Amino acid sequence: MRIIISLFLLSFLTACQLITTKTNTQYLTVLHTNDNHGRFWHNENGEYGMAARKTLIDKLRNDAESKGHSVILLSGGDINTGVPESDLQIAEPDFKGMSKIGYDAMAIGNHEFDNPLSVLDKQIAWSNFPILSANIIDKNTNQPAYQSYAIIEKDGLKIAVIGLTTVDTAKIANPEYIGHLNFITPAAATQPLAYKIKDKYKPDVVVAVTHMGHYHDAKHGINAPGDVTLARNLKPNTLDMIIGGHSQEPICVDKDGNPDATFYPGKACWPDQQNGTWIMQAHEWGKYVGKAVFKIEKGNKELVSYELVPVNLKDAKGNFITTEIAKDQALYEFLLPYQQKGAEKLSGAVGNIDAFLDGRRDIVRFEQSKLADLIINAQAEAVGADFGIISGGGIRASIKAGDINYKDILKVHPFKNRVAYIDWQGPELVEYLTTVGSFPPDAGAYLQYHKIDFEINNAKAVIRSINGKKFDINATYRMSINTYNAAGGDGYPILTEKKNFQITDSTDAQVLRAYIEKHSPIKVESL
Ligand SMILES: [Zn+2]
């Protein structure tokens, strides 16, 4: 009986609320950021950082609320990966910082899959806001793998927020972690879901938080289609706005809707609009907080102002573009131990080397490299392999001569791939090398190999020697490889299903660090 009464009361209250909603003019301020990429801390010039971001957001929120406006704070995703101090702590300061700033929801970005899925589960648990994606489907259950949407009430306004993730995630994330996930077309996921939500909740505003990229006039090139394609492929009035990320740009257009190439921090900015849907993005790293103010009247939503507010950005002379925003003291003190712990983990030499190891793209994707030899030595030693391989695209930075610290190593290996190995029979190995040894230069797939001597002759691998000994087709050989290439990354044949394949618990960075510690001083000539 009590239940029936409260349900009745509830529906009565909702009805009242609906009546006030429909008769009054209301305002909604949407605050947004995207592509944090580990920037919980300000940079060496004192730009951006979560503590100053919180001061700014608190002020914008208070200003709006004092005028009776509703406020929502959203993120377009990619919180993970980019700064070693954050990466080493699996973005714990970033997600906990966002919770303290008061985010209401975020989209799952492709970089949320750089770590094993158990890490994303942890990050979801750390966050007091929903982390959303409606187009990531678990192949086993055929259901969304993550929360698809949230209904957020803000002072009488009901806001539906749908999350979406670029389908490119299937190509660029570590295949080992996402093999059981299907990234379906965002519009196909959104249209039926939006109907369902509108029917069930009658929201005043429908927002998509997305991590798909904004490509002017839908010209997405080799990237998967982004926000413009999504807006154009939905029935009009499906979404009021898209709060995006991934292309890491300020979206500002001129009066004809063409990109404003002259945008600079502090300049006025007007967002893109496609098929009646506003599309906004606030560049990257928390450099700006986007601020959109909507007037909502009789179901009509009008964008009355828009701004990209710089967060302590400086001009070329090193002066703040706008008045310096003070850091929120409590958040600063909360984040400081994370920054110190991260710096501690990174500083201090782990070893040294007598010459420069060139890891630039135009070297490692074109010719055999000494840096690859060092990496393969480390991985082969870790797993007792006879030889090893890595794709050129897996090497991301050079190592300078002299002392090497962990930060240098993490720049070479930012992806936290684990080291693995496979035991080959001679004929299988010939077949495998025929494939991977034929990848052309000028591509991430270009093969780096070490402790094996072979060539491709008449479209077939001819192996001369392995680990200094003449090749024997009847012998078994152990090859080291990382999990990215073993799981099919860069188009390599998939090894993870093979019975002689093993993954270790060590990451490529950990293994390289251990090798440098053990073998220093390292002489490049002896690699
Ligand atoms: Zn991204």
Side-chain angles (χ1 to χ4, degrees), residues 50-212:
M50 279 188 166
R53 194 196 304 175
K54 179 167 194 308
T55 303
L56 173 62
I57 285 171
D58 284 350
K59 182 184 179 297
L60 297 175
R61 193 189 275 123
N62 289 339
D63 288 353
E65 285 175 352
S66 70
K67 287 185 249 168
H69 299 183
S70 304
V71 181
I72 190 166
L73 172 59
L74 301 169
S75 163
D78 264 9
I79 306 312
N80 282 284
T81 312
V83 176
E85 286 84 347
S86 166
D87 299 348
L88 281 171
Q89 301 176 85
I90 48 172
E92 183 178 343
D94 305 84
F95 282 93
K96 290 188 172 172
M98 285 177 76
S99 298
K100 289 187 183 287
I101 292 171
Y103 278 80
D104 290 294
M106 72 168 252
I108 296 180
N110 54 295
H111 282 286
E112 270 64 79
F113 296 99
D114 287 349
N115 300 296
L117 294 188
S118 58
V119 171
L120 179 52
D121 292 343
K122 244 185 215 170
Q123 294 170 339
I124 290 170
W126 285 331
S127 305
N128 62 6
F129 53 89
I131 296 178
L132 305 172
S133 186
N135 69 319
I136 307 178
I137 306 297
D138 188 323
K139 288 176 189 167
N140 301 317
T141 61
N142 215 17
Q143 294 295 315
Y146 295 93
Q147 186 177 338
S148 299
Y149 67 94
I151 305 295
I152 297 168
E153 305 242 8
K154 292 282 180 185
D155 306 308
L157 270 184
K158 197 185 281 181
I159 305 148
V161 183
I162 298 171
L164 294 166
T165 306
T166 173
V167 301
D168 268 346
T169 308
K171 270 199 286 179
I172 55 192
N174 192 326
E176 184 197 350
Y177 304 143
I178 56 158
H180 66 297
L181 299 176
N182 243 340
F183 293 79
I184 65 167
T185 307
T190 303
Q191 193 69 71
L193 181 60
Y195 284 137
K196 192 183 111 181
I197 290 170
K198 286 183 183 196
D199 202 45
K200 190 166 171 192
Y201 300 99
K202 314 248 176 311
D204 299 291
V205 179
V206 183
V207 183
V209 280
T210 71
H211 189 85
M212 301 165 38

Side-chain angles (χ1 to χ4, degrees), residues 359 361 363-369 371-372 375-376 379 388-396 412-413 415 417 432 436 439-440 443-449 479-486 488-493 508:
R361 300 168 68 96
I363 298 292
V364 295
R365 296 175 183 221
F366 286 83
E367 58 188 70
Q368 293 299 302
S369 114
L371 178 51
I375 289 165
I376 291 167
Q379 298 188 356
I389 63 163
I390 181 176
S391 60
I395 303 171
R396 310 300 284 199
V412 174
H413 282 319
F415 298 121
N417 294 310
Y432 180 78
V436 298
F439 291 134
Y446 175 74
L447 182 76
Q448 294 285 348
Y449 56 92
M479 177 184 89
S480 66
I481 185 170
N482 66 40
T483 44
Y484 176 74
N485 291 131
D490 278 330
Y492 275 50
D508 43 14

